[in-house]
């Protein structure tokens, strides 16, 4: 039996955009009843999706799968103008759960395209957020990911260029790509740091975990970009690190020779999954738990006006710290 300590990162788990997106689906179900259709996963976490399905949410890959005139929620990752047009053509009652920080990147893409600049979007090809931004100006946006991609760009060095970034990337890795762009292009604009505040805060906390603990475990789904980046950050800063979708994915062999375990969670991972992992570690002898010193987040994004109470006209507030409300019998 191992004996050791557990350190919980601060901050960890849900960010304001995730809380807002989940709250939007729950509120839509309260107002409209089931089913409420959601285009793609509302956030990249399988537990959240499963719990919302139990409440009556129906997740689809395309707006074309939503019945004519039905309620359709766009996920937190954003959509392209083409998706919006298709939804309008089907007369869908759209409720947009796009994270406001992602919406900001869309607005920047439109502005730079209007100014005639080539737009270099640092991100992962095929990610939903990237696909949405790319759709704003597909003839002007090029997706890049690495410094090698910068060297391979078929653009003259004096091309007027603007740089945008997928919000969930690693700040350190993105900075290297941006520096390579600055070194190459003579007319380059960066509108500011597009990396989400929550992604940056969680990555900074993970750096501290990696320095102070033998092993770092990140709670999150395998399709969660920000969770995967947190694993990479931990490894880059010297710790063994693994992604743990839930406690059932913890491997006891990881704990051999380990005296302290740091735990964090991606921005779309609920605290109930962290609790499950902590309980499992306690069974394996890691039963001394402490909270890392870190910053407290107080960001709150408001709900869309169309979710206002039909009687009072008030728009519900997104809770500062909340979990998806489990469906009856859905607690585990």
């Amino acid at each position: 039996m191992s004996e050791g300590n557990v350190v919980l990162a601060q901050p960890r788990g849900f960010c304001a955009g995730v809380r807002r997106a989940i709250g939007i689906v729950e509120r839509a179900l309260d107002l409209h009843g089931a089913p409420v259709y959601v285009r793609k996963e509302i956030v990249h976490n399988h537990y959240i999706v499963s719990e919302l399905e139990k409440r009556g949410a129906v997740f689809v890959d395309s707006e074309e799968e939503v019945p004519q005139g039905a309620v359709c929620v766009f996920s937190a990752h954003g959509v392209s103008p083409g998706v919006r047009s298709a939804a309008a053509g089907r007369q869908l009652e759209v409720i947009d759960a796009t994270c406001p920080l992602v919406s900001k990147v869309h607005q920047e893409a439109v502005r730079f395209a209007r100014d005639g600049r080539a737009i270099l979007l640092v991100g992962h090809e095929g990610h939903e957020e990237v696909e949405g931004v790319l759709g704003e100006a597909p003839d002007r946006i090029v997706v890049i990911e690495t410094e090698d991609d910068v060297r391979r760009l078929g653009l003259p060095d004096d091309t007027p260029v603007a740089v945008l970034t997928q919000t969930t990337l690693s700040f350190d890795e993105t900075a290297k790509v941006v520096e390579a762009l600055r070194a190459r292009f003579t007319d380059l604009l960066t509108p500011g740091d597009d990396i989400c505040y929550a992604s940056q805060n969680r990555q900074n906390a993970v750096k501290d975990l990696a320095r102070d603990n033998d092993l770092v475990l990140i709670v999150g789904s395998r399709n969660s970009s920000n969770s995967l980046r947190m694993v990479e950050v931990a490894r880059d800063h010297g710790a063994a690190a693994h992604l743990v979708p839930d406690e059932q994915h913890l491997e006891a062999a990881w704990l051999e020779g380990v005296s302290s375990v740091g735990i964090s969670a991606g921005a779309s991972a609920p605290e109930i999954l962290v609790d499950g992992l902590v309980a499992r570690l306690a069974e394996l002898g890691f039963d001394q738990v402490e909270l890392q010193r870190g910053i407290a987040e107080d960001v709150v994004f408001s709900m869309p006006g169309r979710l206002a109470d039909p009687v009072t006209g008030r728009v519900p507030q997104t809770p500062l710290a909340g979990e998806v409300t489990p469906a009856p019998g859905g607690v585990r």
Side-chain angles (χ1 to χ4, degrees):
M1 178 73 72
S2 300
E3 293 184 2
N5 300 324
V6 172
V7 180
L8 295 177
Q10 176 66 22
R12 65 182 181 277
F14 280 177
C15 64
V18 165
R19 288 194 296 268
R20 175 180 181 269
I22 295 169
I24 284 173
V25 177
E26 293 185 320
R27 179 64 176 164
L29 285 164
D30 290 341
L31 286 177
H32 300 282
V36 163
Y37 293 85
V38 184
R39 186 185 183 278
K40 305 291 187 180
E41 293 187 354
I42 186 65
V43 297
H44 285 158
N45 186 271
H46 299 319
Y47 175 85
I48 296 297
V49 169
S50 175
E51 291 300 317
L52 290 173
E53 283 178 332
K54 293 172 186 174
R55 292 198 57 192
V58 177
F59 292 87
V60 296
D61 286 330
S62 169
E63 64 285 353
E64 299 294 340
E65 300 175 50
V66 181
Q68 189 96 1
V71 176
C72 179
V73 179
F74 289 159
S75 81
H77 309 101
V79 299
S80 69
V83 170
R84 296 185 185 278
S85 295
R90 297 183 62 77
Q91 299 179 316
L92 303 183
E93 186 171 345
V94 169
I95 304 173
D96 192 354
T98 301
C99 174
L101 300 181
V102 175
S103 295
K104 171 179 170 284
V105 179
H106 280 251
Q107 293 161 7
E108 291 167 342
V110 171
R111 174 164 61 90
F112 286 131
R114 188 185 304 125
D115 292 343
R117 288 185 173 268
I119 301 168
L120 302 178
L121 176 58
V122 184
H124 299 304
E125 193 89 44
H127 188 276
E128 288 164 38
E129 181 183 329
V130 169
E131 290 297 306
V133 176
L134 186 60
E136 296 288 358
D139 57 335
R140 304 204 68 86
I141 298 178
V142 178
V143 179
I144 59 174
E145 187 171 346
T146 67
E147 294 166 88
D148 287 339
D149 292 338
V150 174
R151 288 187 280 271
R152 287 193 290 262
L153 283 169
L155 296 173
D157 292 352
D158 60 353
T159 302
V161 168
V163 182
L164 299 176
T165 307
Q166 180 182 333
T167 64
T168 54
L169 297 185
S170 160
F171 177 83
D172 294 338
E173 184 178 12
T174 302
K176 295 177 184 178
V177 178
V178 174
E179 282 305 310
L181 290 169
R182 286 198 179 105
R184 173 171 173 181
F185 292 100
T186 58
D187 184 4
L188 181 140
L189 288 181
T190 55
D193 184 9
D194 290 328
I195 302 294
C196 161
Y197 79 93
S199 293
Q200 187 59 60
N201 288 346
R202 282 150 187 73
Q203 290 170 24
N204 288 341
V206 164
K207 292 176 185 178
D208 291 338
L209 287 183
R211 184 186 65 238
D212 299 334
N213 297 276
D214 304 314
L215 172 68
V216 173
L217 301 176
I218 305 298
V219 178
S221 290
R222 292 191 174 95
N223 62 337
S224 168
S225 175
N226 79 88
S227 299
L228 292 171
R229 301 294 81 73
M230 290 164 70
V231 174
E232 293 173 358
V233 167
R235 291 172 177 169
D236 288 345
H237 285 77
H242 300 280
L243 185 72
V244 185
D246 58 46
E247 73 277 6
Q248 297 176 21
H249 290 80
L250 174 67
E251 296 187 21
W254 297 342
L255 303 173
E256 293 179 6
V258 169
S259 62
S260 60
V261 178
I263 297 177
S264 190
S268 53
E271 190 68 7
I272 191 173
L273 299 183
V274 176
D275 293 342
L277 179 59
V278 170
R280 176 60 182 145
L281 283 167
E283 293 173 356
L284 295 171
F286 288 76
D287 55 1
Q288 302 298 312
V289 181
E290 61 182 276
L291 183 64
Q292 177 192 54
R293 289 190 176 185
I295 64 171
E297 294 176 345
D298 58 2
V299 177
V300 177
F301 294 138
S302 61
M303 292 274 204
R306 69 185 311 153
L307 293 178
D309 187 285
V311 176
T312 67
R314 294 177 182 171
V315 179
Q317 293 295 309
T318 304
L320 186 62
E323 296 289 313
V324 62
T325 303
V331 180
R332 70 175 196 181

